[in-house]
Amino acid sequence: MPAASPARRPRVVLGVAGGIAAYKAVEVLRQLTESGHDVRVVPTDSALRFVGEPTWAALSGHPVSTGVWAGAAEVAHVSLGREADLVLVVPATADLLARAATGRADDLLTATLLTARCPVVFAPAMHTEMWEHPATRANVGTLRARGCVVIDPAVGRLTGADSGAGRLPAPAEIAALARAVLARAGSAANANGTGLAAGLMPDLTGYRFVISAGGTREHLDPVRFLGNSSSGRQGYALARAALSRGARVVVVAANVALPEVAGAHTVRVVSAVQLRAAVHAEAATAHVVIMAAAVADFRPVTRAAHKIKKSDGDPEPVALVRNPDILAELVAARQPGQLLVGFAAETGGPGADLLDLGREKLVRKGADLLVVNQVGDGLGFEVEDNAAVVLGSDGTETVIGRTSKDLLSHRVLDLVTARLAPADGSVIAVSDSTRR
Ligand code: PMT
C-alpha cells in the first residue's frame, strides 16, 4: 500500500470497456476530476473505437494507453493498480466481466484489475439478453464473491429502440457511488488521523438491505395531502453507502425527487399504506431493514374523489385514523437473524429531552438500532448534513457529530456490520446470481 498523506488526492483508475455507453464514462470522468480526484483512464482498444484517446487524456490530464507495452519503464500494468484507491470500470461489458472473472491479463485494464488491492467497482452496461445470460450471471457472481462491487444496471432504453435491464445508470450517480466508496476510506482515516485509508474492502457482500427513504403523503383529495419535508437524501445516502460496501439494496422511496441511486432497485410509493406493503414484501428476504423514511402517523379517514371546493361551505374538520406502525410490525414479524434499524426525527421541546424521547421510542418500537437525529438548525430534513446519537437495544449510545449524510451513513453501517450474523449462516436465503 502507498504511504498515505493528508494532502493526497484520492486516486481513481477509470477503466472503460468497449460498449456504446463509453460516451457516458466521459461524464463520470468529468464529475470525478471536478470533485478533486486524480483520475487515470485505462480504456480497452474497443473502448477507443467509441471515444478517442485525446478525449480521455485531455479530461484526465494524464497520458492514456491500452496495452502493457507502452511506458514499460513505469511498469504501468502493475503500478496503476497498486497505487489506486479505487478502480471503477464504466461501462463493464459482458466481455470485460468475463475476462476479469477468469483472471485474464491481456491488456492494461485487466492487468490493472489483477494488481489492484483497493476496492473495485464495475458498472455493467449491455443488452438485456447478455446481462441475463447464465455465463454473465456466473461471472458477476464470481466477481462479487471475490469482493468486487458489481452494481446492477438500470432498466430503461438501450442502444436501439429496445429497452430492458442493461442500461448504464446516470453518470452523476456512478460518480456519487465512487465517492461513497472513497468516503468510507476517508472517514476511517480521519478517525485515526492518517489521511486517506486505502484498502477498506467491501464488508457487506452477500447481504440484502431494504431502505425506506423520503416522506409519505396522505391525500385529502387528488391535490392536497398531509406530508412532511423529507427529501430522501438520508435514505439515498444510506443506500449508496450500503451498495459501495457490496450489499444488494432495495430502496422504497416515498415521493423522492432525487435521481435514483446507481445499482439500487427503487420501488416508488406515495402513502404510508403503500410504503408498508412495499417494505413488508421486500423485508421477507432482507438481512437488514433501515426505516429512514418519515412516515405519517395518521391519514385522513376519507379521500375526496374530486378537489374539495372553497364554495362547499365552512371547512369540515379533517377526521384522521392512525397509520400502522411499520417498524413495530417488522419487529413482530422479524426473520431470524434480521437486523432492524429505525430513525427518529426529534426536535426536543420544553421538558422533553431528545435522548429520553429516543430511548422511549427504541423500547416502544423494539428495533435493534435507533438513529436519533435532531432536526432543525441546518440538520435533518432536506439539508446535506445530519448529526445523530445511535441508540442500541444492547444499551450502547454512539454519538455522530455534524457531518454529511454520506459519512453519517457509513458510521451507521459500521454499527450495523458489527451486529450482523454471517451472511452464509443466515436462514435468509439469497441466491446472488438470480436475485436483485
Ligand atoms: O430525507 P431527508 O430530507 O434527508 O431527511 C432525513 C430524515 C430527517 C427524514 C431522517 O433522517 C429521519 O429522521 N427519518 C425518520 C423520521 C421519522 O418519521 O421519525 P419518527 O420518529 O416519526 O419515526 C420513528 C421510526 O418509525 C422511523 O424509522 C419511521 O420510519 C418509523 N415509522 C414511523 C411511523 C409509522 N407509522 N411507521 C413507522 O415505521
Side-chain angles (χ1 to χ4, degrees), residues 339-355:
L339 207 87
L340 300 169
V341 182
F343 268 68
E346 300 289 356
T347 57
D353 176 71
L354 201 74
L355 280 185

Side-chain angles (χ1 to χ4, degrees), residues 1-2 4 8 11 82 84-87 116-121 146-149 177-205 241-247 407 410-411 413-414 417:
M1 294 297 162
R8 181 163 82 67
R11 293 187 193 123
R82 271 190 189 159
D85 298 305
L86 168 69
V87 178
R117 292 295 176 269
C118 58
V120 176
V121 177
R146 279 187 203 141
C148 299
V149 175
L177 187 69
R179 284 187 214 104
V181 176
L182 293 162
R184 181 170 165 235
S187 76
N190 287 340
N192 62 29
T194 59
L196 195 75
L200 272 184
M201 300 306 284
D203 56 356
L204 291 174
T205 301
L243 277 155
S244 78
R245 295 165 77 145
L407 282 182
H410 277 304
R411 296 289 308 280
L413 292 184
D414 289 343
T417 311

Side-chain angles (χ1 to χ4, degrees), residues 212-214 228-235 272 291-297 323-328 341-346 361 365 370-371 373 375 380-383 386 405:
S212 70
N228 61 73
S229 54
S230 170
S231 62
R233 280 197 169 82
Q234 183 60 73
M291 289 290 290
V295 183
D297 289 317
N323 273 330
D325 187 325
I326 304 160
L327 184 55
V341 182
F343 268 68
E346 300 289 356
K361 199 172 275 188
K365 303 244 179 191
L370 188 73
V371 184
N373 43 187
V375 294
F381 285 102
E382 296 180 285
V383 292
N386 210 350
K405 287 179 177 170

